[in-house]
Amino acid sequence: MKPVLDGTVALVTGASSGIGAATAAALAGHGAAVALAARRTGRLEEVAASIREQGGTALVLESDITDEQQAAGAVERTVSELGRLDTLINNAGVMLLGPAASAPLAEWQRMVDLNVLGLLFCAHAAVPHLLRAAADGPRRVADMVNISSVAGRTARNGSGVYNLTKHGVGAFSESLRQELATRYVRVSLVEPGATATELASHNRPEVLDAIRSQFGQRMEAEDIADAISYIVTRPRHVAVNEMLIRPTEQER
Ligand SMILES: NC(=O)c1ccc[n+]([C@@H]2O[C@H](COP(=O)([O-])OP(=O)(O)OC[C@H]3O[C@@H](n4cnc5c(N)ncnc54)[C@H](OP(=O)(O)O)[C@@H]3O)[C@@H](O)[C@H]2O)c1
């Protein structure tokens, strides 16, 4: 039997590490040709090499998606080099925590630039291609999966701007879902809890010290990739709108 995503093409942003790298591998395992976007090409090449070793197709796209042209360029190169776009995984994100009162404004800007604007740039460029894939693609359905967080549901002391960006991702996703639903572009929201990736490591050392004590049980990136794979492999008449996934021991 053919793998379910055979003949389709997926673009994964933030594919150089963590959830994005695991998702790219998982989608390739389901038969999709995968375009990998991020800034660190060396890391993307490693992910691509491992996909190719398993018999998959992978395209490396060096892109800083906070730049509108590079975001649109990643989408356009996916289509020009792999032939189409059926699945966009809007995964790239950054989480910079700490008290708002003393926060460097540059950190807030980085989060808004990537988590909100970067995602919007990719979504905007991808929608026409996703509509085309849904109209005449091999599965007659297309997917945009936007990665939010538990932080997109509940705001906490010390993570206000990250909360803001992820709540925004949730609002945009629900609106776009309603807009595209009858044209068979499914827009899904995935809200992971604590997952063992590089995400927290970008915080200032004093913030890292403060949040380290909160680290409890964590999921693996592959656990989230598995959830994303479930969403995009559903039959055409089933749309998983939202998935909130925590490590079992995570209370809030
Ligand atoms: N880990 C968790 O506990 C957790 C929980 C909830 C939600 N999430 C969300 O999951 C998503 C993935 O994060 P992760 O946990 O896998 O963290 P990660 O390992 O730090 O991955 C982040 C990815 O984003 C990419 N990226 C950063 N800046 C970029 C830019 N300007 N342009 C393009 N790509 C960029 C990074 O690649 P380069 O540096 O190579 O560009 C990297 O591939 C994020 O949206 C995050 O908010 C994570």
Side-chain angles (χ1 to χ4, degrees):
M1 229 169 60
K2 278 187 185 171
V4 63
L5 299 182
D6 194 50
T8 71
V9 172
L11 167 60
V12 182
T13 70
S16 60
S17 62
I19 293 168
T23 301
L27 298 184
H30 286 286
V34 189
L36 315 170
R39 297 166 305 175
R40 291 171 294 173
T41 35
R43 295 284 294 269
L44 290 177
E45 292 292 357
E46 287 171 27
V47 177
S50 119
I51 288 172
R52 290 177 194 130
E53 268 167 35
Q54 307 291 316
T57 300
L59 171 68
V60 167
L61 300 171
E62 179 182 357
S63 0
D64 178 345
I65 63 159
T66 63
D67 179 283
E68 183 189 341
Q69 288 189 345
Q70 291 188 46
V75 170
E76 296 312 325
R77 277 193 62 198
T78 302
V79 174
S80 65
E81 297 190 32
L82 296 177
R84 48 184 306 102
L85 180 66
D86 302 87
T87 307
L88 171 64
I89 312 296
N90 267 321
N91 163 75
V94 62
M95 175 190 76
L96 303 169
L97 305 178
S102 58
L105 267 177
E107 291 193 347
W108 293 3
Q109 188 150 4
R110 272 179 68 195
M111 285 189 280
V112 173
D113 279 352
L114 181 60
N115 302 2
V116 179
L117 279 176
L119 180 145
L120 292 178
F121 293 152
C122 293
H124 185 265
V127 164
H129 299 291
L130 297 177
L131 284 167
R132 205 164 300 134
D136 65 12
R139 302 188 69 226
R140 306 272 327 284
V141 66
D143 286 286
M144 181 189 301
V145 181
N146 295 333
I147 309 304
S148 174
S149 169
V150 169
R153 288 250 189 148
T154 317
R156 302 259 178 237
N157 184 349
S159 61
V161 179
Y162 186 63
N163 290 137
L164 177 155
T165 64
K166 293 301 189 182
H167 276 71
V169 169
F172 173 68
S173 302
E174 174 56 16
S175 170
L176 192 63
R177 183 191 70 75
Q178 293 173 22
E179 182 178 330
L180 301 179
T182 57
R183 286 177 281 174
Y184 282 84
V185 175
R186 303 181 293 204
V187 179
S188 305
L189 187 69
V190 172
E191 298 154 309
T195 308
T197 69
E198 298 174 9
L199 191 71
S201 70
H202 305 297
N203 283 282
R204 283 169 280 135
E206 63 272 27
V207 173
L208 207 47
D209 284 345
I211 61 176
R212 200 167 270 131
S213 62
Q214 299 164 17
F215 289 171
Q217 188 180 37
R218 291 195 288 176
M219 296 177 288
E220 300 300 326
E222 288 72 18
D223 297 321
I224 309 305
D226 197 23
I228 295 168
S229 298
Y230 178 82
I231 290 172
V232 303
T233 55
R234 288 315 84 205
R236 185 173 183 261
H237 67 288
V238 178
V240 181
N241 301 153
E242 189 170 356
M243 222 190 249
L244 173 65
I245 314 161
R246 291 184 175 93
T248 306
E249 293 177 12
Q250 184 177 329
E251 291 178 3
R252 23 170 251 177

